[in-house]
Amino acid sequence: MHFKQIGLYMFHKEKTQAKVDVLYANRLDVRKRADTIDWVSTISYNFSLLEKTLNLAVECFDFYLERNAEQVDPDEYPFLGLAALFMASKYEEIYPPNAQVRSLSL
């Protein structure tokens, strides 16, 4: 692949991604979104996931919010972010993390 083709591809990809203006226009809680992305990046780091996985998770998160902003309560952003991270890890990682639920005994 030539540098010109790479540049054109990256320019096209940047134009198709969700823009911050779109997020503001949909009346999203931008601060809650930023906190969620920060939290998801911490989880990604703790699971030693690839950077590509985190980027794909953020793209999925923004894509869903862009289309369903009215239906998602800002308190549910962490659940959506975690779901996006696990979906992205299934796609990008060789050994994705196991989403096993453990019961707590007191």
Side-chain angles (χ1 to χ4, degrees):
M1 203 180 246
H2 294 70
F3 289 114
K4 186 176 181 179
Q5 290 174 324
I6 293 172
L8 290 173
Y9 169 74
M10 295 304 285
F11 180 73
H12 172 70
K13 186 154 178 76
E14 182 179 324
K15 288 185 92 172
T16 59
Q17 286 181 342
K19 302 293 182 201
V20 176
D21 295 338
V22 172
L23 298 176
Y24 281 111
N26 286 335
R27 298 187 192 122
L28 296 179
D29 189 347
V30 179
R31 173 162 281 173
K32 189 76 166 183
R33 177 197 172 272
D35 290 343
T36 301
I37 297 301
D38 185 43
W39 180 71
V40 167
S41 66
T42 302
I43 291 172
S44 175
Y45 176 77
N46 288 337
F47 276 105
S48 302
L49 300 178
L50 298 172
E51 187 176 333
K52 290 177 7 178
T53 305
L54 177 61
N55 292 339
L56 182 60
V58 172
E59 283 186 38
C60 291
F61 182 79
D62 287 340
F63 182 81
Y64 187 82
L65 284 180
E66 186 179 340
R67 282 155 179 76
N68 301 299
E70 304 85 28
Q71 300 169 355
V72 180
D73 184 33
D75 292 333
E76 295 177 353
Y77 285 3
F79 299 116
L80 181 60
L82 190 59
L85 184 65
F86 273 106
M87 282 187 342
S89 70
K90 296 289 185 184
Y91 185 76
E92 291 289 344
E93 300 289 328
I94 295 172
Y95 300 107
N98 187 4
Q100 182 178 3
V101 178
R102 296 180 184 157
S103 62
L104 297 175
S105 57
L106 299 174

